[in-house]
Amino acid sequence: HEYGHFKNEDTAGGHLALAVRRSILHMADGMIKGGAATAINPAWWFIRGYHRVFHRITQGASRLQEVLADRAAVLTYGSEAFATGFRHVIARGAAFGLHAHATVTESSEAKVAIANFYQFKPSQAPSEDDLAEKVAADLAAPHSEDDSHPAPQARLDLAAKMNAEGRAAEGDDDCEVWSLFSHRE
């Protein structure tokens, strides 16, 4: 998926959209601080309207880039491999979120600093049921117009509709990404 972004040149031009968004927000902030952000000021109406339209267009473009990156991954590795990998990413994200919550809660309550957040083992680790519930909730998460990515289930549905065979990745699928780094320390 991420390689699809590079292949599709999605990183080109992003700085321009960010600069425009920043300019709009700075102008709005200046109008607010200067007292010009009033209902009778047409310039304020323009800024608000332009921001809404610009935000909708850039979010739509971002969402399209995500769909095309998914498409590149599905065409390269197949629908089944994409779905398996995507579910894995959702599961690992959910596990990390639960771990982070437990770690922060425990360290805050005990008022202790954590030397290594990732290796800390909370005394009240999340259960497998908690993880399964979180994964199910994340996969069923609804979509909003402001999301940069399509809803997770929509992404899986689109991959399944493509019904692409792709080509199998060579190597051991059970290896951790960490094994790719020779100088881990």
Side-chain angles (χ1 to χ4, degrees):
H1 168 93
E2 298 307 330
Y3 178 71
H5 283 302
F6 289 110
K7 182 178 170 199
N8 296 336
E9 298 182 18
D10 292 344
T11 57
H15 66 286
L16 178 62
L18 290 173
V20 170
R21 182 177 285 173
R22 185 176 50 247
S23 294
I24 294 168
L25 293 175
H26 280 296
M27 188 177 295
D29 188 51
M31 291 180 81
I32 291 168
K33 288 178 179 173
T38 65
I40 60 171
N41 185 350
W44 178 244
W45 294 351
F46 175 79
I47 291 297
R48 289 182 61 203
Y50 189 87
H51 179 263
R52 254 189 224 121
V53 170
F54 185 79
H55 179 71
R56 184 58 45 106
I57 290 169
T58 55
Q59 285 300 98
S62 177
R63 202 170 310 111
L64 176 61
Q65 289 174 337
E66 295 302 331
V67 169
L68 294 175
D70 282 353
R71 181 178 180 270
V74 170
L75 291 174
T76 302
Y77 294 105
S79 297
E80 187 179 332
F82 175 84
T84 300
F86 185 70
R87 284 189 180 96
H88 178 76
V89 166
I90 294 286
R92 297 313 308 149
F96 180 76
L98 291 171
H99 170 79
H101 180 72
T103 299
V104 169
T105 300
E106 187 172 319
S107 64
S108 296
E109 288 173 359
K111 294 183 180 5
V112 296
I114 301 297
N116 188 328
F117 187 85
Y118 300 99
Q119 291 183 340
F120 181 78
K121 302 271 192 255
S123 60
Q124 197 86 37
S127 70
E128 289 297 320
D129 289 342
D130 291 339
L131 178 58
E133 188 177 304
K134 177 76 171 125
V135 168
D138 288 354
L139 283 171
H143 174 67
S144 99
E145 293 298 321
D146 290 327
D147 289 337
S148 61
H149 291 68
Q153 193 57 54
R155 294 173 76 180
L156 290 169
D157 291 346
L158 285 170
K161 276 184 189 176
M162 289 177 69
N163 197 26
E165 287 187 30
R167 56 182 189 269
E170 293 182 22
D172 188 357
D173 286 346
D174 293 331
C175 288
E176 293 184 11
V177 170
W178 197 240
S179 67
L180 295 172
F181 298 96
S182 56
H183 303 309
R184 294 176 207 134
E185 60 282 343

